[in-house]
Amino acid sequence: MRQLITFIRKEFLHVFRDRKTLLMLFGLPIAQIVLFGFALSNEIKNSRIAVVDYSKDASTTRLISKIAASDYFDIQRSLAGAEQLQAAFKKGDIKMAVIFPANFGDDLMHTGKATMQVIADASDPNQATTITNYLSQIVTDYNTELAKDAGQPMQINPETQMLYNPELRGAPNFVPGVMALVLMLVCTMMTSVAIVKEKELGTMEILLVSPFKPVYIIISKLAPNLLISVLNLFIILLLSWLFLDLPVKGSLLLLVTSSILFILTSLSIGLLLSINAKTQQAAMMGSLMGMMLPTMLLTGFLFPIENMPLALQILSNLVPSRWYFIIVKRVMLKGLGITAVWREMLILTGMCLLLFTISLRKFKIRLQ
Amino acid sequence: MAPVISTNQLTKRFGQFIAANALTFEVDKGEIFGFLGANGAGKTTAMRMLCGLSIPSSGKATVAGFDVYTQTEKIKQNIGYMSQKFSLYDDLTVAENIRFYAGIYGMSTPAIKAKTNELLQELQLEKEAKTLVRALPLGWKQKLAFSVAIVHEPDIVFLDEPTGGVDPVTRRQFWDLIYAASDKGVTVFVTTHYMDEAEYCNRVSIMVDGVIAALDSPANLKQQFSANNMEDVFYELARNAKRKAD
């Protein structure tokens, strides 16, 4: 046990001495969050929208003029009927449509409640969410105004419909995506490089001649990477909570447990890479090309898997991050519990055990 | 006195290829034993078997009194090893390297502290204790590597071409360290390409094509082959080799 502690301490020294790499390791998630979080969801002004007014009364006219007065919207045209909307959306002429049904004014007058329809083009989910939020704000303001005039509560409910991408794939999706990507990269790259380095230095020979157990070597190599990855996980969660307003809705414990499961799977992949790589460069390239691309492409956070050719869909099942991505989305964004993710967790556990066993055995064979 | 290393018909086959064929020799305690041979002659294979890294195909051998088939873990406790790459961690300091190698042999913390101080003093590296190994000159690295190889006070130390790439003066200084260790009773098993170094050994074995072609003290070998120096002895034996260096 004392031997193991000695070795783990040495591994931490390696990590802390290498300031540049350390900076990169923690800079990576922060840069990703900033990039995806801020650069890509800036204020959107002058969005072109269409208005269909079947009610044509004083209240709709007032609301429409309010919308028109806002900086955020540019009413492209007022359409006579909803039939024309489809074509306008398809051509990309409008980003959003607002429809007032024929009984809108009557409902509002008599019951104090009315429903309007908002349809947004969600093929760019970020934009769609942002502009529907702007609109809701205007409607809420208008509600207050009406209530003051009428001396009683008035309520207009915008009923929002996301066109083309009802699940809003993409918007909060990137946080789980960044988590999968960063954890995968850090774990595989750091691990494979750490072991190959010992081989290049010739220190591996000494370790093998010493009474130190090979499995201890593996454990010591994994320990600092596990810690760094868990720290990274918390950095990402904190950043997205503070700056992107994306708190963990579900159980934090469940999220962390499944993250550790994913981290261990990635570490095993790194281990496997290191056994086959002869130089640090080879290990680095292997992790970058071999892991980053499949993770980016086949996880589903950049491109929806359902839209892929069948062969790629099948292939994506082999990518661990795909399953992790599903877990994070369900637990973090939707707040679902273990009943919703146990299957994915089981798959990850299986992958982790399989990969770790293979790499452990291969590692031992090399020592013979 | 029982020999520290003893082999009898020790053989290692890889398929049809016999890398080391029926090696029989003994090494005494405190002896400096030179293990010579051209590249591909089977030196490394023999050494790996003695270090417990490779299980022999047939024959017998004991190292520090332990069997190479069944007691490899015991053997590992009792040997030290230094390779031609020196095998130090560049990004750790001198003291950290010593502490690490002492630590993986399971030495206690006070013992490690005492040993670290002792080594630094011996090597006159006290001022450099907190220097990264990266910044040390090659000769110092080499001495440090040897010292960490025997930090756990093993019975035997295996040196695999330890003096590659350093100048003759540094090499001579390195051999002083080897003599000092040998005086303390550590058995030194060393492979080398430098024939002047073969002269420094108590006894020398020369491997050709997987077998031991000659084994004696340098003086006796020179006499036997009527040669002026070990270079001529080696050449006399090695030129008949059939195996190409790999």
Side-chain angles (χ1 to χ4, degrees):
Chain A
M1 198 57 206
R2 194 190 298 136
Q3 288 153 281
L4 186 61
I5 292 169
T6 306
F7 205 120
I8 292 177
R9 190 168 57 195
K10 185 210 82 166
E11 290 305 318
F12 275 104
L13 281 176
H14 284 317
V15 171
F16 292 134
R17 288 281 149 78
D18 196 353
R19 291 280 156 76
K20 267 184 229 158
T21 311
L22 201 62
L23 200 69
M24 194 195 82
L25 287 180
F26 289 114
L28 193 66
I30 296 171
Q32 297 266 30
I33 292 283
V34 169
L35 202 71
F36 281 99
F38 294 104
L40 301 186
S41 67
N42 249 329
E43 214 181 24
I44 303 160
K45 286 191 172 173
N46 300 324
S47 300
R48 284 173 301 187
I49 63 168
V51 174
V52 185
D53 187 358
Y54 288 118
S55 179
K56 291 206 171 71
D57 58 64
S59 59
T60 60
T61 316
R62 250 174 91 188
L63 184 51
I64 291 170
S65 65
K66 273 189 164 301
I67 296 171
S70 144
D71 278 348
Y72 297 122
F73 300 109
D74 178 5
I75 296 182
Q76 197 64 11
R77 47 187 168 171
S78 297
L79 297 174
E83 321 72 64
Q84 289 164 283
L85 282 177
Q86 188 80 353
F89 270 121
K90 278 213 166 140
K91 275 171 79 181
D93 286 350
I94 52 170
K95 289 287 166 205
M96 190 171 71
V98 180
I99 301 164
F100 298 99
N103 50 356
F104 182 89
D106 284 348
D107 283 354
L108 194 65
M109 195 96 75
H110 299 306
T111 66
K113 275 185 193 166
T115 307
M116 63 191 275
Q117 206 184 0
V118 178
I119 304 173
D121 175 359
S123 59
D124 181 345
N126 249 328
Q127 203 179 18
T129 333
T130 312
I131 58 178
T132 46
N133 284 341
Y134 291 155
L135 188 78
S136 309
Q137 193 57 51
I138 294 175
V139 174
T140 313
D141 285 351
Y142 185 56
N143 279 341
T144 328
E145 228 173 87
L146 283 177
K148 221 185 267 170
D149 291 352
Q152 57 161 337
M154 300 289 260
Q155 188 138 34
I156 301 173
N157 276 328
E159 203 171 71
T160 310
Q161 189 191 340
M162 293 294 177
L163 215 55
Y164 306 124
N165 188 357
E167 252 189 274
L168 274 189
R169 194 167 276 289
N173 272 3
F174 79 89
V175 170
V178 167
M179 281 164 72
L181 191 63
V182 167
L183 294 180
M184 174 64 109
L185 264 187
V186 168
C187 293
T188 50
M189 201 152 74
M190 294 296 291
T191 310
S192 57
V193 167
I195 291 180
V196 174
K197 204 162 140 194
E198 298 264 357
K199 281 201 248 173
E200 273 190 341
L201 267 176
T203 43
M204 193 57 102
E205 272 176 294
I206 311 265
L207 297 178
L208 300 186
V209 176
S210 82
F212 201 68
K213 288 193 180 64
V215 65
Y216 281 7
I217 300 180
I218 291 184
I219 293 174
S220 329
K221 290 283 169 198
L222 299 189
N225 297 338
L226 181 66
L227 184 84
I228 288 177
S229 304
V230 172
L231 278 179
N232 257 336
L233 175 71
F234 281 106
I235 291 178
I236 296 175
L237 290 181
L238 199 69
L239 283 178
S240 39
W241 176 50
L242 289 179
F243 298 110
L244 303 175
D245 208 19
L246 273 180
V248 180
K249 280 194 188 145
S251 145
L252 187 63
L253 185 72
L254 182 63
L255 187 64
V256 171
T257 311
S258 40
S259 298
I260 289 177
L261 203 59
F262 177 65
I263 290 169
L264 288 176
T265 312
S266 310
L267 291 175
S268 307
I269 294 175
L271 211 57
L272 210 56
L273 278 172
S274 76
I275 289 161
N276 298 312
K278 287 216 167 61
T279 62
Q280 291 183 57
Q281 267 94 347
M284 189 94 81
M285 288 311 284
S287 343
L288 276 179
M289 304 304 281
M291 297 322 303
M292 193 170 169
L293 283 180
T295 307
M296 298 257 292
L297 301 179
L298 296 178
T299 297
F301 82 98
L302 283 184
F303 311 105
I305 289 172
E306 301 87 273
N307 299 352
M308 289 179 187
L310 188 66
L312 282 183
Q313 286 192 31
I314 293 170
L315 198 64
S316 75
N317 288 330
L318 297 175
V319 181
S321 53
R322 184 199 161 163
W323 304 107
Y324 178 61
F325 182 64
I326 295 176
I327 296 176
V328 177
K329 271 205 311 189
R330 291 194 183 151
V331 176
M332 184 176 170
L333 304 180
K334 296 186 182 160
L336 298 177
I338 184 125
T339 43
V341 293
W342 66 271
R343 250 178 269 110
E344 285 76 14
M345 286 180 82
L346 210 62
I347 292 173
L348 273 187
T349 313
M351 283 180 166
C352 181
L353 285 179
L354 185 74
L355 288 167
F356 193 73
T357 316
I358 294 175
S359 45
L360 201 64
R361 286 188 62 165
K362 281 196 117 183
F363 194 74
K364 273 192 178 153
I365 287 167
R366 271 192 70 97
L367 310 189
Q368 290 302 306
Chain B
M1 192 170 56
V4 179
I5 301 175
S6 159
T7 72
N8 190 355
Q9 302 291 316
L10 191 65
T11 303
K12 180 77 185 186
R13 281 187 210 88
F14 296 105
Q16 289 292 304
F17 181 75
I18 304 174
N21 194 358
L23 308 181
T24 302
F25 63 89
E26 289 182 345
V27 182
D28 292 326
K29 184 173 164 57
E31 191 176 15
I32 301 175
F33 189 83
F35 206 61
L36 275 53
N39 289 335
K43 280 178 305 186
T44 309
T45 307
M47 199 143 139
R48 287 176 65 86
M49 285 193 284
L50 296 177
C51 290
L53 287 182
S54 165
I55 301 290
S57 308
S58 63
K60 283 182 185 151
T62 60
V63 175
F66 299 107
D67 188 87
V68 293
Y69 290 94
T70 55
Q71 296 173 299
T72 53
E73 287 310 310
K74 289 273 187 198
I75 291 176
K76 287 177 175 181
Q77 274 298 348
N78 288 286
I79 61 171
Y81 177 83
M82 172 187 169
S83 80
Q84 61 197 106
K85 287 180 179 165
F86 303 165
S87 316
L88 297 165
Y89 295 98
D90 269 356
D91 52 350
L92 301 188
T93 67
V94 172
E96 281 163 356
N97 266 287
I98 298 175
R99 195 186 308 145
F100 171 69
Y101 280 114
I104 61 168
Y105 278 94
M107 286 169 69
S108 69
T109 314
I112 292 175
K113 273 215 177 101
K115 194 73 195 178
T116 306
N117 290 333
E118 184 192 321
L119 275 185
L120 290 173
Q121 210 166 0
E122 260 177 38
L123 296 169
Q124 296 171 349
L125 280 174
E126 290 122 312
K127 281 184 192 154
E128 314 290 337
K130 287 186 178 155
T131 309
L132 294 187
V133 164
R134 184 184 293 146
L136 291 184
L138 196 60
W140 288 15
K141 278 191 205 171
Q142 187 186 39
K143 287 179 210 163
L144 181 62
F146 178 73
S147 302
V148 299
I150 56 169
V151 71
H152 56 294
E153 296 170 356
D155 293 343
I156 307 156
V157 60
F158 289 88
L159 309 176
D160 190 5
E161 293 174 20
T163 54
V166 298
D167 61 75
V169 178
T170 315
R171 238 162 62 201
R172 183 62 238 193
Q173 288 171 352
F174 184 71
W175 274 87
D176 289 340
L177 276 181
I178 295 182
Y179 280 123
S182 159
D183 285 345
K184 284 185 198 163
V186 179
T187 307
V188 180
F189 188 101
V190 56
T191 73
T192 181
H193 279 311
Y194 298 103
M195 288 307 138
D196 58 328
E197 289 186 350
E199 310 260 4
Y200 303 152
C201 298
N202 299 129
R203 280 194 305 150
V204 165
S205 96
I206 299 175
M207 272 187 92
V208 177
D209 289 350
V211 300
I212 293 178
L215 199 175
D216 214 326
S217 67
N220 288 346
L221 283 176
K222 280 186 278 189
Q223 202 178 13
Q224 190 188 334
F225 289 89
S226 351
N228 289 324
N229 51 40
M230 286 302 294
E231 188 109 33
D232 292 342
V233 174
F234 185 77
Y235 184 67
E236 189 65 32
L237 286 165
R239 70 173 175 185
N240 297 321
K242 296 192 176 55
R243 266 187 215 165
K244 289 272 180 275
D246 45 20

